[in-house]
Amino acid sequence: MSKTSYKIVLLPGDGIGPEVTHAAVKVLDRASALHGIKLDYTTYRAGADYYRETGKSMDETEMAALADAHAILLGAMGLPSIRKPDGTEIAPQIDIREKYGLVASLRPCKYFPGVPSRIQADKVDMLVIRELTEGLFAGRHDPIPESNESMSDRLVITRQGCEKLFKVAFEQARFRRKTYGTPGHVTLLDKANVLRSNAFMRKVFDEVAQRYPDVQTDRIYIDAGSMMFVTQPERFDVVVTENVFGDITSEIGAGVVGGLGVAPSADVNDEMAVFQPSHGTAPDIAGQGLANPVAMILSAVMMLDWLSGKHDDVRCAQAAASLREAVAQVLKSGPKTRDIGGQASTEEVTAAIVEQLGAASNQGAQHG
């Protein structure tokens, strides 16, 4: 059921995170006003800077309050210069995934005309789905043995985790086919020829696939599939894989379509979602107005689509479509930031997208 207003939590984070979050809010405000949507924002601090001040990556009360939000927008978190005693970076985004069981990361890799790419393929439109809580991240909190000779990480694949993950993949294939006209196809990337855990993962995939006879499937080894991301990216629709494999292949996919500056993502389960750009905090350019806001803005588009689906709200779907088209037009004609061949600032790109939203709305009203 449509809501009179949606509660959105903002987690701007570190580095360029606050800058791109501010940009996303500006375009969301414009899109929501045009389509009669009310978004109520609450901002919480989390990340490396917060850890430096408090010794915690996020306040426990505010972490618990995330459950009450309709959606969460996260800028970027972590700084290489600030680390835990074990040497790892501060990553509350991972803590959120684990606390709330966000089983899958949805990472669209779509080519937009006007974005420079080293790959000669102009119709790339795939969705990489990365498992989030198992795989090689399963032992993240295991006790560390006192040894200067060896170290190991635990890889775990469970039936429950796989079934949740593959349900997301097949449902996304159906959604994309209905909404965007994509093929409705799911490819599993694994290493089932060597790793017993991956052979088990493939077995569960085959079982879940039988429940979706309308969705075609492939199973490809991760090494060959990674090569195909570069040589045949247009062959993929929905790709699903283990945690670390998905972390790597989603960035390959982003590179194919022009880089992390145009790569959004969403961490989801059936009830909750965190939307964030795939890029990091880029502390070397923070505060200089050089950050590309497009990945964060496209993550906001994903948020609107999510709200539309969860609450049967056609206004959110319309806002998502108009904002996606506005981004596409600006990427095609400019202005663009330096990472994708332009010279514009974060603010200039944001303003252009806001202006494009207004222009499209006025044109639609005149035609109506």
Side-chain angles (χ1 to χ4, degrees):
M1 181 179 294
S2 299
K3 300 286 185 181
T4 55
S5 65
Y6 293 100
K7 294 182 289 186
I8 310 299
V9 168
L10 304 178
L11 297 174
D14 304 304
I16 63 171
E19 299 170 62
V20 297
T21 301
H22 176 69
V25 169
K26 288 191 74 170
V27 298
L28 276 172
D29 284 346
R30 181 59 169 158
S32 58
L34 289 171
H35 293 275
I37 305 163
K38 182 173 174 52
L39 303 178
D40 292 326
Y41 302 107
T42 301
T43 301
Y44 295 144
R45 290 191 64 199
D49 274 333
Y50 185 74
Y51 179 88
R52 177 165 48 193
E53 295 177 14
T54 67
K56 300 183 292 185
S57 62
M58 186 174 181
D59 179 82
E60 292 87 348
T61 302
E62 293 179 351
M63 173 71 85
L66 298 181
D68 296 326
H70 290 112
I72 299 156
L73 272 176
L74 188 153
M77 294 188 182
L79 293 171
S81 60
I82 303 175
R83 296 178 180 268
K84 297 178 182 178
D86 64 4
T88 60
E89 286 193 34
I90 313 304
Q93 64 270 42
I94 302 178
D95 298 332
I96 294 169
R97 295 169 186 167
E98 293 173 345
K99 178 176 177 61
Y100 289 103
L102 303 180
V103 67
S105 180
L106 313 181
R107 301 190 172 189
C109 301
K110 177 179 173 60
Y111 176 71
F112 289 93
V115 178
S117 173
R118 295 180 180 272
I119 305 301
Q120 298 301 312
D122 58 3
K123 294 184 179 179
V124 180
D125 188 358
M126 63 175 132
L127 174 66
V128 180
I129 301 182
R130 170 194 176 190
E131 196 282 324
L132 285 179
T133 61
E134 298 183 347
L136 268 173
F137 277 44
R140 200 168 70 94
H141 299 295
D142 288 352
I144 302 174
E146 293 186 7
S147 172
N148 200 36
E149 302 301 324
S150 68
M151 187 64 66
S152 64
D153 290 290
R154 182 163 54 93
L155 193 162
V156 176
I157 301 292
T158 69
R159 172 173 290 278
Q160 182 183 50
C162 284
E163 289 186 345
K164 289 180 179 179
L165 175 71
F166 297 145
K167 177 185 176 184
V168 171
F170 282 95
E171 293 293 341
Q172 282 293 316
R174 284 178 171 174
F175 170 79
R176 283 166 54 83
R177 181 172 58 199
K178 178 181 178 181
T179 307
Y180 308 127
T182 52
H185 185 284
V186 179
T187 300
L188 173 68
L189 298 183
D190 63 29
K191 198 63 178 171
N193 56 332
V194 175
L195 301 177
R196 291 169 293 180
S197 60
N198 279 220
F200 176 72
M201 190 178 200
R202 183 176 289 204
K203 175 178 180 291
V204 180
F205 178 82
D206 290 342
E207 294 172 5
V208 175
Q210 294 178 12
R211 305 171 201 165
Y212 296 86
D214 58 310
V215 178
Q216 295 183 321
T217 58
D218 273 331
R219 298 133 192 87
I220 301 175
Y221 295 142
I222 184 65
D223 43 351
S226 297
M227 179 191 67
M228 292 174 189
F229 265 47
V230 177
T231 59
Q232 304 174 50
E234 65 277 6
R235 71 171 288 162
F236 295 109
D237 180 10
V238 174
V239 178
V240 64
T241 189
E242 179 270 339
N243 202 327
V244 171
F245 291 165
D247 196 14
I248 296 168
T249 52
S250 63
E251 298 222 2
I252 297 173
V256 165
V257 298
L260 293 174
V262 294
S265 76
D267 297 347
V268 306
N269 61 20
D270 286 340
E271 301 299 328
M272 185 175 182
V274 178
F275 300 88
Q276 62 192 46
S278 294
H279 62 65
T281 56
D284 57 319
I285 62 169
Q288 301 176 45
L290 301 177
N292 188 344
V294 168
M296 186 64 168
I297 292 170
L298 288 174
S299 298
V301 171
M302 295 179 72
M303 183 189 78
L304 290 169
D305 270 334
W306 166 269
L307 292 173
S308 172
K310 293 299 293 181
H311 303 284
D312 193 26
D313 192 338
V314 67
R315 300 171 304 167
C316 291
Q318 292 169 344
S322 65
L323 183 48
R324 185 182 297 108
E325 180 58 27
V327 171
Q329 288 299 320
V330 171
L331 287 174
K332 183 176 182 179
S333 60
K336 293 179 278 192
T337 49
R338 296 181 184 184
D339 61 303
I340 53 173
Q343 293 295 323
S345 67
T346 308
E347 184 61 34
E348 288 168 338
V349 173
T350 304
I353 294 172
V354 170
E355 182 179 356
Q356 181 64 39
L357 276 169
S361 176
N362 292 335
Q363 186 177 23
Q366 291 171 4
H367 289 166

